[in-house]
Amino acid sequence: MIALLQLCILALVSYYQIVAAVEVTINGRAQFDLAGSEFAEYVDQQIEQLRQFRYEGYIGCFIDKRSRHLRHHKGNFKDMNLEKCRALCTNFEYLGLQNSDQCFCGNKLNDNNYPGVPDTQCSKKCKGESTRMCGAGWRNSIYRVKP
């Protein structure tokens, strides 16, 4: 809770700059010029903190391979979203959203074979939830099934 309060205070100090930076990050639209790389790094850190707070249970973006990080493929859906995948994975520890419409489930995360990568590599929006990223090609946005 203290971290959230600190984040809110920081956001108030430079509210318009952070809002614009978030818009650049999420929508790819630039409305102003960032004031140097230090400020850009600061904004990236704040966005990551907001992302972790908003997406309860989010673990991160991970590489996938043909051998599959999460072994149980639950299908491709035109209306894929986090809650749908959670419902499909109720008997598992983890779920992975991939390529905007796929849901995978599993009980083990193997970081050595399927390393984490920056969240920017999980950049495809969910087909059924346009405000959330559902991985990308061979990239899983991984969550705990029970946050």
Side-chain angles (χ1 to χ4, degrees):
M1 191 64 164
I2 292 172
L4 179 59
L5 181 58
Q6 290 171 336
L7 181 62
C8 289
I9 291 168
L10 289 171
L12 288 174
V13 170
S14 55
Y15 172 77
Y16 292 108
Q17 291 176 327
I18 290 175
V19 168
V22 169
E23 190 168 310
V24 167
T25 301
I26 294 172
N27 300 323
R29 291 190 305 249
Q31 293 191 6
F32 73 102
D33 217 3
L34 289 175
S37 62
E38 285 182 331
F39 182 74
E41 287 176 1
Y42 166 78
V43 170
D44 287 344
Q45 290 170 355
Q46 300 310 309
I47 290 169
E48 184 58 31
Q49 286 181 12
L50 285 169
R51 179 179 288 132
Q52 289 173 5
F53 175 74
R54 181 162 187 263
Y55 300 125
E56 189 174 319
Y58 179 69
I59 296 171
C61 181
F62 292 83
I63 289 175
D64 202 8
K65 301 175 184 174
R66 290 189 192 276
S67 56
R68 296 295 182 193
H69 191 176
L70 301 173
R71 308 252 185 234
H72 303 275
H73 184 235
K74 295 296 182 171
N76 300 38
F77 299 90
K78 292 179 183 177
D79 60 344
M80 179 52 65
N81 61 49
L82 177 58
E83 292 311 312
K84 181 177 195 104
C85 192
R86 273 201 168 121
L88 293 167
C89 295
T90 55
N91 296 323
F92 295 92
E93 184 77 21
Y94 304 103
L95 67 87
L97 297 164
Q98 189 174 125
N99 209 30
S100 78
D101 64 354
Q102 296 180 50
C103 177
F104 292 88
C105 311
N107 290 315
K108 294 181 184 178
L109 295 182
N110 185 338
D111 294 349
N112 294 329
N113 293 327
Y114 307 94
V117 294
D119 285 340
T120 55
Q121 290 190 30
C122 285
S123 59
K124 284 196 162 186
K125 293 180 181 180
C126 298
K127 288 192 174 180
E129 186 178 7
S130 64
T131 58
R132 185 177 311 277
M133 296 301 143
C134 275
W138 297 104
R139 298 292 184 268
N140 280 322
S141 294
I142 294 185
Y143 292 79
R144 283 180 175 47
V145 172
K146 296 174 185 147

